[in-house]
Amino acid sequence: MTNQELKGIHHVTAITSSAEKNYEWFTNVLSLRLVKKTVNQDDIQTYHLFFADDEGNAGTDMTFFDFPNTPKGSKGTNDISRSSFRVPNNHALDYWLKRFDHYDVKHSEIKEQFGVKVIQFEDFDEQQYQLVSDENLEGVAPGKPWKNGPVPEEFGIYGLGPILIRVSNIEHMSTVLENTLNFRKIAKENQYTLFEMGKGGNGGRVIIEESTVLPPARQGYGSVHHVAFRVENRSVLDYWTERISNLGIPNSGYVDRFYFESLYSRMYPGVLFEFATDGPGFIDYQESYDNLGEKLALPPAYEEHREQIEQMVRPIDTVRSTKNFEKEYFGFDEVQ
C-alpha cells in the first residue's frame, strides 16, 4: 500500500427525521457510542451526531444530520443505498438475530454476499443497513466495541463495513473507482461488483449495484448524504486535492472540520465522496474519553456563537457516564 492510497472507509453520513430517536436507537439497540454531539458546520441550526466505537476511531463512525422539515428520501439509483457495520464473527450474527427480534427491528435472515455472512436491517426511518461478519476475513483493522454499552463486547459492532452504491452507469462508476481513486475490482455477483481499497477486507470495500430500471433516488431522511474515505494525514489529503483538480473534477478544496480535515467531490452524479484524515479525532480539550458526546461540542471557530447556537438546537440529554447499561445476552452467555 502506498502512502497516498486510500486506507478504507472513514465514516458515513446520513439524514434522520429525529435526532432524539436516532440517539436512542443507536445507543440502546445498536450499542454504538455517541462520541460527538455537535452541529452541521454548514447549517448550524442542524444537529450532527457521531456514533462510533468505544474510542471514536476513524473507520467506525456513522453520523447523522437532523435537517429541520426535510422530506423523506426515496429509494432509487445513483445513490448510496446501504451502509454496513462489522461484527467479529458468524456467531455474533446469531446473537443479532435474537437482538433484532427482541427490539422489533425489521431484518433479513443471514445471507451471503461475496463469501461474507450478512444480515440486512433498517431503522425507524427505513434507513438501510447490514451487519457483516469478519469471520476469517483480514484487511483493514476494526476498532473496539463500546465497552459500556448494552451489547456484550464479544458480539459488538466495532467498525464500518462495505458501502453499497446503486448506479445506472456501472462503466462510469468503475472508471471513477479504478482510474481516479485506484480501487481494485475484486469480484462480480449478478448485478453487484466488489471493489477494494487499502488493505481490503470489510473495512475497505465498496459494492456497486447496477440498476437501469429504477428512477433516480431523492435525498431526504432515511437516506445517506455522503461516504468518506480515509487518508493518513494532511499531506495525503493535499495529494488527492491536486490529483482530482488536475483531472478537472470539481471539488471543495481543503475543509477543516476540526475533528478531521476533509475534501469533497461529486465524481459520479448523485454520489458525494469525502476524503478525511484519520486525526485529530474526537477526544479533545472539550471532552475526555469518559464523557464523549455528553455536551454540545463546538469547534473553536463556533464557540463564540455558543449561546446563539444553543437557542437554535433543542436540548437532548445524552449523558451516559452516570448510567449503567446492563449487558443483554439473550441466552448467548450459555452458548459456545
Side-chain angles (χ1 to χ4, degrees):
M1 190 173 108
T2 64
N3 290 338
Q4 287 81 24
E5 201 168 13
L6 301 177
K7 297 173 62 178
I9 306 297
H10 187 284
H11 69 265
V12 175
T13 295
I15 305 169
T16 181
S17 64
S18 166
E20 291 86 349
K21 285 184 182 179
N22 185 244
Y23 168 71
E24 294 293 333
W25 201 81
F26 266 74
T27 302
N28 298 324
V29 179
L30 291 191
S31 193
L32 282 167
R33 187 180 187 190
L34 181 70
V35 295
K36 198 61 67 176
K37 177 175 65 176
T38 185
V39 293
N40 182 334
Q41 295 179 26
D42 302 316
D43 182 3
I44 59 173
Q45 63 180 330
T46 300
Y47 267 121
H48 193 179
L49 305 182
F50 290 76
F51 301 94
D53 74 343
D54 192 60
E55 300 171 344
N57 288 302
T60 72
D61 56 312
M62 179 116 189
T63 92
F64 285 85
F65 295 138
D66 175 26
F67 293 119
N69 305 313
T70 190
K72 184 173 182 177
S74 64
K75 313 301 181 192
T77 192
N78 300 331
D79 185 48
I80 299 169
S81 56
R82 190 180 298 272
S83 309
S84 303
F85 298 109
R86 299 167 66 180
V87 294
N89 48 45
N90 295 344
H91 184 50
L93 292 182
D94 294 327
Y95 167 86
W96 280 93
L97 286 178
K98 292 274 191 182
R99 185 171 189 84
F100 286 157
D101 285 342
H102 177 80
Y103 283 102
D104 294 322
V105 174
K106 186 175 180 181
H107 66 86
S108 72
E109 293 306 307
I110 296 173
K111 54 178 70 175
E112 194 162 296
Q113 181 185 82
F114 292 105
V116 174
K117 302 289 188 184
V118 307
I119 300 172
Q120 296 178 337
F121 66 102
E122 61 184 47
D123 68 10
F124 55 92
D125 284 332
E126 299 181 328
Q127 181 82 236
Q128 304 293 297
Y129 309 98
Q130 62 184 19
L131 294 177
V132 298
S133 167
D134 270 353
E135 183 113 4
N136 300 323
L137 205 65
E138 298 180 349
V140 176
K144 302 174 181 178
W146 181 25
K147 65 182 181 182
N148 292 326
V151 169
E153 289 178 69
E154 60 266 35
F155 305 127
I157 292 170
Y158 61 178
L160 290 173
I163 305 306
L164 281 79
I165 305 175
R166 188 184 294 122
V167 301
S168 59
N169 188 334
I170 184 68
E171 289 78 15
H172 185 178
M173 180 58 87
S174 295
T175 298
V176 168
L177 295 181
E178 293 182 281
N179 296 355
T180 304
L181 301 182
N182 298 330
F183 278 61
R184 304 178 298 277
K185 185 182 291 185
I186 301 298
K188 192 174 188 307
E189 288 183 358
N190 301 316
Q191 72 269 36
Y192 297 94
T193 306
L194 172 65
F195 296 85
E196 282 191 345
M197 67 188 123
K199 294 180 179 179
N202 278 331
R205 290 181 165 179
V206 170
I207 297 172
I208 305 299
E209 175 189 1
E210 183 178 28
S211 173
T212 57
V213 294
L214 290 174
R218 188 184 70 248
Q219 205 164 82
Y221 72 80
S223 67
V224 172
H225 189 272
H226 65 268
V227 60
F229 303 129
R230 292 172 62 188
V231 300
E232 183 66 30
N233 51 38
R234 171 67 188 275
S235 66
V236 181
L237 186 68
D238 290 344
Y239 162 84
W240 282 101
T241 304
E242 183 178 0
R243 176 177 172 81
I244 292 168
S245 297
N246 287 343
L247 290 171
I249 301 171
N251 64 83
S252 66
Y254 173 78
V255 181
D256 185 0
R257 294 302 189 195
F258 186 61
Y259 309 114
F260 42 84
E261 299 167 286
S262 295
L263 165 73
Y264 299 84
S265 181
R266 203 176 296 277
M267 300 179 175
Y268 179 97
V271 179
L272 179 61
F273 290 152
E274 178 182 356
F275 305 80
T277 59
D278 277 357
F282 297 106
I283 298 173
D284 54 35
Y285 75 97
Q286 292 185 344
E287 294 179 306
S288 67
Y289 164 84
D290 293 324
N291 64 353
L292 283 177
E294 298 195 355
K295 65 174 284 187
L296 180 65
L298 298 174
Y302 296 80
E303 191 61 51
E304 63 182 283
H305 305 294
R306 173 174 289 276
E307 186 176 338
Q308 173 192 358
I309 292 171
E310 288 181 341
Q311 290 174 356
M312 288 182 177
V313 294
R314 63 214 178 271
I316 301 176
D317 180 8
T318 57
V319 174
R320 287 143 298 146
S321 55
T322 58
K323 298 177 182 177
N324 180 36
F325 289 94
E326 185 175 338
K327 298 295 184 187
E328 298 169 313
Y329 278 92
F330 305 114
F332 273 75
D333 51 337
E334 301 167 357
V335 176
Q336 300 301 317

